[in-house]
Amino acid sequence: MPERKTNFLIPAIGAVVAVVGGIAVYTYFSKGPAGDISGALGSAKLVPASAVMATYISTDAQAWSKLQQFGTPEAQKLLTKTLEDLNKDMFKGSDISYEKDIKPWVGGVMFAVLPPSTIKPAQFPTPGNTAKPSTKLQQETNILMVVGIKDKLAALNFANKLKSQKGVQSKEYDYKGEKITETIENARPTYNVVVNNSYLLLAPEKQSVEKAIDTLKGQPSFANKEGANNLISKSVNLQNTLAQIYVPDYAGMVQQLAAASNQGKALPPQTLSQLKQVKSMVAGVGIDDMGVRVKAIANLDPQLNKFQYQNTPAKILAQFPGDTFALISGNGISRGWQTLVEQSKDYPEVQQTLQQVRSQLKFANIDLDKEIFGWMDGEFGVGAIPSNQGVLASVGFGGALVFDTSDRKTAEATFIKLDNLAKAQRINIATRKISGKDVTEWQIPKQGALLAHGWLDQDTVFLALGGPVADALAANKSSSLDQSNTFKTVTGSLQQPNGGYFYLDMDKTVSLVNRFAAQGRPIPPETTALLNSIRGLAATATSPDKSTSQLEVLLALKPSKN
């Protein structure tokens, strides 16, 4: 996106841009402007129906103040200083203050992305010193900003103060009875107009503001656009919502944004077909007692949606030790593989890659589809487990893959073939018992097992990276992951049942990162302060029916000790 568009509010209308950053800045530490998420519909009525997406940011002080209950003192001090520096830089060279000039009048803020506008072709010099236009038209994405006004007098005072700033030029012109102000600073224009004495409209292109005025006068709006109205009124069930994003036509949005990119290439038909599986989407960010939570709801086309979702029983979690610090779990890898194979028919390069992998494995007498993925039809988990022993001593952790299967016979035959391949490479293959379970190891002289595999029960097989990880899985002496306090705290509020988890224990992860950083460049104190405020990260997905897919992400934060 061209620089002029990216920075259209800096610095001429920098004070208003600071609203967005300032929302997070000042309402975090003090009472901020009102403008909760219910104001999205009113703002959307001023956005042209041609908008491909819109984002509404709440300025409700009560919602933002919930952040104060989290974070270490070091993190809060760092955030305070960072935001104070941002404020100084934003208003450098002016006497504008967010606290005095902006906060009193600003309500909620909506950003809308309008269709790209075609601009003149770039001019390129030729050997004859003449300008020759390129044959390809460039496109730019248009941004329209709708700012709610809760105090009309304070907004007027700000507008007058902005006009009086040194180096700022402004002029007004009439459009259908509304006064549009063009403000120019550093040769960058910005257009704004106050409508109904309740909203300030801002854009880098006057056509965007004019289209918004057309919408005000009766042209179709984003609020009554097919699909958009339902999205705006739909609740994503968040507490203290800070922002919501509305995409009424997902494929159309991606198409238009791709056209506005530097390459400006049209999407291949196969890609477009994939995108059309998602009809529309709404997402939100909120704050609750656990931390910052994100939820997204996608409306799917059931005729195009090929993936068959199933809830996971979550029993696989009990197979991982309690100190597992990272995990991805799910269900039915074989079904996902079948979907990928089916869809690869539309992508020659993907299909070619699959055929190459199949051919290579055939040399080892292994069938990729049947003997690798075919038996992975149950629940699965992939985890990272700390260990300082054996081959893991230098890295501090190992990995584990655990699969439930209804086809033990094929799985066993596959591991036998893999063991034979290792033997052919002169790797020592040995078997030992761990808590009565037979475990096969690929051993490295004087270092122990590099890989190990075995059966935890009749239907559950594991593959471990590192002998110590195999011991932890097979012996199962410690409490399991699903009984871990951190895991229960970080994932316990996510929707259940679900399709599986992504989980990260931040304390254990940071400890390992610090270990590697000590050998090279240490982690900056600022980054450490922020990481120490995070308890963990968790995500899950659900699909109540074939027309709906839901994603939930939680950044679990530690309570403030102030």
Side-chain angles (χ1 to χ4, degrees):
M1 189 181 296
E3 181 180 358
R4 184 174 76 84
K5 282 294 176 66
T6 305
N7 300 318
F8 80 89
L9 297 179
I10 302 174
I13 218 82
V16 181
V17 172
V19 170
V20 182
I23 291 166
V25 178
Y26 294 95
T27 56
Y28 182 87
F29 300 107
S30 59
K31 292 183 179 179
D36 62 23
I37 204 68
S38 63
L41 182 59
S43 298
K45 291 178 179 178
L46 297 171
V47 175
S50 59
V52 296
M53 67 173 293
T55 300
Y56 185 83
I57 301 176
S58 167
T59 55
D60 180 16
Q62 185 176 359
W64 284 94
S65 67
K66 294 296 182 181
L67 280 172
Q68 293 177 331
Q69 64 185 319
F70 302 111
T72 63
E74 294 80 8
Q76 291 185 350
K77 289 178 183 178
L78 172 63
L79 186 57
T80 302
K81 183 180 184 305
T82 301
L83 298 176
E84 287 175 349
D85 292 343
L86 175 64
N87 181 42
K88 292 177 183 177
D89 293 340
M90 185 68 69
F91 303 117
K92 185 180 294 183
S94 74
D95 60 351
I96 291 175
S97 163
Y98 174 90
E99 194 74 21
K100 295 179 181 179
D101 299 316
I102 299 177
K103 188 176 76 171
W105 64 268
V106 170
V109 181
M110 175 168 278
F111 289 93
V113 178
L114 303 182
S117 59
T118 302
I119 62 175
K120 293 180 180 180
Q123 302 291 313
F124 299 98
T126 63
N129 267 341
T130 59
K132 181 180 179 180
S134 68
T135 57
K136 184 177 181 180
L137 293 178
Q138 296 178 345
Q139 292 185 318
E140 293 186 348
T141 300
N142 289 324
I143 304 295
L144 174 68
M145 187 174 176
V146 182
V147 183
I149 298 174
K150 69 170 186 175
D151 187 327
K152 300 173 180 62
L153 180 59
L156 178 61
N157 291 337
F158 167 72
N160 292 330
K161 189 171 185 177
L162 185 65
K163 292 177 184 178
S164 67
Q165 296 301 304
K166 185 178 179 180
V168 175
Q169 300 176 356
S170 64
K171 62 180 181 180
E172 295 181 346
Y173 70 94
D174 183 86
Y175 181 78
K176 296 186 178 181
E178 305 291 340
K179 282 188 176 181
I180 298 178
T181 301
E182 179 187 46
T183 305
I184 301 176
E185 186 174 9
N186 296 332
R188 288 199 292 263
T190 301
Y191 300 86
N192 65 83
V193 61
V194 175
V195 297
N196 290 342
N197 289 323
S198 299
Y199 294 95
L200 172 66
L201 309 179
L202 296 153
E205 293 281 347
K206 68 178 182 179
Q207 291 88 350
S208 299
V209 174
E210 290 173 353
K211 287 179 181 178
I213 294 175
D214 292 340
T215 303
L216 172 70
K217 303 296 182 181
Q219 290 297 310
S221 72
F222 190 78
N224 54 35
K225 181 177 182 177
E226 182 181 0
N229 186 274
N230 290 335
L231 292 180
I232 295 172
S233 60
K234 180 178 290 187
S235 171
V236 290
N237 194 26
L238 286 167
Q239 299 178 33
N240 306 302
T241 303
L242 306 181
Q244 285 198 173
I245 301 172
Y246 314 98
V247 183
D249 180 4
Y250 182 77
M253 178 198 70
V254 176
Q255 271 186 294
Q256 298 210 35
L257 295 181
S261 68
N262 292 333
Q263 292 78 17
K265 295 180 179 179
L267 295 176
Q270 306 96 315
T271 301
L272 186 58
S273 176
Q274 293 293 318
L275 292 173
K276 286 183 176 180
Q277 292 185 38
V278 180
K279 298 169 67 175
S280 62
M281 183 189 74
V282 59
V285 182
I287 303 171
D288 54 40
D289 291 340
M290 299 307 302
V292 179
R293 193 179 303 270
V294 177
K295 288 186 177 182
I297 302 174
N299 296 316
L300 309 178
D301 186 331
Q303 302 300 320
L304 299 177
N305 180 20
K306 302 292 180 63
F307 183 73
Q308 298 293 322
Y309 170 88
Q310 284 187 357
N311 286 325
T312 62
K315 293 180 180 179
I316 208 79
L317 303 175
Q319 305 289 2
F320 287 86
D323 58 353
T324 301
F325 65 89
L327 174 87
I328 296 175
S329 67
N331 195 29
I333 290 179
S334 59
R335 285 181 289 108
W337 175 254
Q338 290 169 2
T339 301
L340 173 63
V341 171
E342 178 66 25
Q343 294 179 344
S344 72
K345 296 176 182 177
D346 297 326
Y347 298 87
E349 63 279 6
V350 176
Q351 195 169 35
Q352 182 180 4
T353 301
L354 291 180
Q355 290 298 342
Q356 289 175 348
V357 175
R358 287 190 180 104
S359 298
Q360 291 172 356
L361 287 176
K362 276 186 178 180
F363 283 112
N365 194 29
I366 294 176
D367 186 310
L368 176 66
D369 301 280
K370 295 180 180 179
E371 296 180 294
I372 298 295
F373 292 108
W375 54 267
M376 298 180 183
D377 55 356
E379 192 176 3
F380 73 89
V382 180
I385 301 167
S387 176
N388 293 308
Q389 302 176 14
V391 294
L392 305 178
S394 61
V395 293
F397 71 97
L401 294 85
V402 182
F403 304 95
D404 278 345
T405 179
S406 63
D407 188 0
R408 176 165 177 160
K409 182 178 179 180
T410 300
E412 286 180 330
T414 299
F415 279 107
I416 290 173
K417 288 184 178 183
L418 293 174
D419 290 340
N420 290 334
L421 278 176
K423 288 179 182 177
Q425 301 299 318
R426 299 181 182 276
I427 295 175
N428 183 41
I429 305 297
T431 301
R432 66 185 177 105
K433 282 191 177 291
I434 303 176
S435 297
K437 302 178 180 72
D438 290 326
V439 176
T440 302
E441 295 182 333
W442 296 13
Q443 295 181 341
I444 298 177
K446 300 181 180 180
Q447 294 189 55
L450 174 64
L451 291 173
H453 61 82
W455 291 85
L456 299 175
D457 57 40
Q458 181 62 31
D459 303 315
T460 307
V461 65
F462 74 87
L463 176 65
L465 177 61
V469 173
D471 286 321
L473 290 170
N476 200 19
K477 293 180 179 178
S478 62
S479 62
S480 58
L481 178 62
D482 58 339
Q483 298 301 314
S484 158
N485 287 333
T486 300
F487 182 84
K488 289 192 291 185
T489 300
V490 174
T491 66
S493 61
L494 298 179
Q495 185 170 336
Q496 297 179 16
N498 53 55
Y501 292 102
F502 170 82
Y503 163 73
L504 187 69
D505 181 326
M506 190 58 71
D507 283 339
K508 290 185 175 70
T509 302
V510 169
S511 177
L512 282 167
V513 171
N514 283 331
R515 173 176 177 170
F516 289 110
Q519 302 171 8
R521 181 180 299 178
I523 300 176
E526 298 85 359
T527 303
T528 300
L530 292 176
L531 292 176
N532 287 340
S533 296
I534 302 172
R535 186 190 300 273
L537 178 66
T540 191
T542 59
S543 182
D545 54 63
K546 202 172 181 182
S547 300
T548 308
S549 181
Q550 301 173 340
L551 173 69
E552 184 175 4
V553 180
L554 173 65
L555 181 65
L557 301 175
K558 297 176 182 177
S560 172
K561 296 181 180 180
N562 288 348

